[in-house]
Amino acid sequence: MTIRNKAAIVGIGQTEFSKDSGRSTLRMALEVVLEALGDAGLKPQDVDGVVKMGANDDIFEIDLLRSLDLPNLRFFNEVPHGGGAACGTIAMAVAAVAAGMADVVVTFRSLNERSERRFGQSSAGGAVGGWMQYNLPHGLVTPAQWIAIFAQRYLYEYGWTTEELGRVAVLCRKHAATNPHAMMYGRPITLEEHQSSRWIAEPLRLLDCTLDTDGACAAVVVSADKAKRLKGKSAYIAAAAQGTGRRAEMMTSYQRASLCRLEEAEATAKELYRIAELGPTDIDVAELYDHFTPMVLMALEAYGFAPPGKAPELLGEGRLELDGDTPLNTHGGHLGEGYLHGFGHIVEGVRQIRGTAVNQVREVRTCLVTSGTAVPTSGVILSKEPY
Amino acid sequence: MGDVARPYPRPDRDTTPFWEAQNRHELVFQRCKQCEAVRYPVGPLCPRCRSFDFDWVVSGGRGTVHSYTVVHHQAHPAFPVPYTVVLAEMDEGPRVIAQLRTPPDGRCEIGMPVRVEWEDHPHQSLPVFVPDEDRGST
Ligand SMILES: [Zn+2]
């Protein structure tokens, strides 16, 4: 038995994305959960499962329980490893539904990352343990700096330049420019603007790095049988999986054989394609986690859209545009729409399957959504029809 | 150095000998007594043969730049920009993060030979890399 098409996302919710939401993360979480339940034709009292992302989130299932007065909450957990967890929350929801441990599972992300807590800044002082003790004392203190070490090696090994990174940013900003929901709506960039943006940590420039965002998203997962009885337009979950790599650390797995391959994403891809009985050529739209541009190139390779070192050719040939083979980050991704740690990608994936996205791709049957890279990660394949 | 102290390690029962060695200006790694595999970062078990028995071996302090970043955007008050952080692959195998003391031409390159020197900070001595003039660029 597999989990293939055993469950579906039947409701989604999303606040505006901004630099200052003007309200609490709890309030935003409640807004999107209610919106997602309404979208599905469900009520708060129907909810019996909550799965949250573990890192940097201060809203817990008991906060939802108290605020919404959930009388039947019987399945709750959280998925670790920051942005790697987004699709993992869907995977846990599918597991709960398939095992009969819950009927209606809510997953969500709510952050005031721009106005209250900026993750790109490090104030870590004092004594540090764990993996951080080998990096922070040397001034390697932020995600951009940790990722730069991988990116520099990738460009060196395959002979690419920072222009290849820039093309990822240009594409995401192009899609964001026509998405009224995006923080960068109406603000496309050129490759020249990318190349002249200031260095953050070489080879990463400002325009290679995700935005910081205030906002929230939610999704509701139920069994496929229940989905057929609900009013909402379902996105069936053809596969959901988590993946790891050897010698894993949080964003600093520098001891592994190659710094140019995303072992976690490769493992997730293998499991997703096995469960869904699909391959990369069957994917109609790809929403890939884009906190930093080089990781999108490596993810394209890990998920089988290009051989190792060849992802930049996809961009050069226009194959990731809305009318290309595999349209990429149709909402603008983290680089253009906003940074909800992968949850915006899930919501956009559902819209593409429903046919309701602003940058709608024609005849979408399947959508791959992936989560954070350089950490233990996760992904889902959404399907228009259960098969 | 800025006004704020840089982060420093919090030694635990596994890592204390490693950090004490650095305070003696020695870069050390663990070597498995069973299979002789050198391992890093510090941990109680050999991931290769699952033996708990190990020795500490002192690194020769030489390696090559495997990757690096030049940090331009200041994200922490203790680290004024610009500065270069190197991931060096040491001759013994492990890859080690440390700052590069900037060479005369100001640049860092992958493949550049480096060697360890030491800087004493209030809580902890730490290695820095310098270009290894005895060995030409590979
Ligand atoms: Zn061993």
Side-chain angles (χ1 to χ4, degrees), chain A residues 41-111:
Chain A
L42 292 164
K43 295 185 169 59
Q45 50 266 41
D46 298 321
V47 175
D48 58 359
V50 171
V51 185
K52 73 181 288 278
M53 294 173 68
N56 305 316
D57 189 324
D58 51 4
I59 309 302
F60 291 83
E61 70 290 326
I62 51 171
D63 300 310
L64 298 190
L65 178 153
R66 269 196 330 275
S67 303
L68 292 162
D69 192 21
L70 303 178
N72 300 314
L73 189 62
R74 61 184 175 127
F75 180 88
F76 40 93
N77 69 13
E78 67 179 65
V79 184
H81 300 302
C87 289
T89 65
I90 303 296
M92 293 306 107
V94 173
V97 165
M101 296 178 75
D103 293 324
V104 175
V105 182
V106 164
T107 72
F108 68 100
R109 186 66 159 166
S110 182
L111 298 168

Side-chain angles (χ1 to χ4, degrees), chain B residues 32 35 46 48-49:
Chain B
C32 175
C35 76
C46 173
R48 186 158 169 242
C49 75

Side-chain angles (χ1 to χ4, degrees), chain A residues 3 9 47 50 52 74 79 81 86 110 113 126 172 175 194 202 219 241 267 281 314 376:
Chain A
I3 56 164
I9 298 176
V47 175
V50 171
K52 73 181 288 278
R74 61 184 175 127
V79 184
H81 300 302
S110 182
E113 178 169 343
C172 287
H175 293 165
H194 169 272
E202 293 181 37
T281 56
L314 299 175

Side-chain angles (χ1 to χ4, degrees), chain B residues 42-61:
Chain B
V42 178
L45 190 67
C46 173
R48 186 158 169 242
C49 75
R50 278 88 177 190
S51 167
F52 284 105
D53 296 329
F54 65 90
D55 289 323
W56 292 98
V57 294
V58 180
S59 167

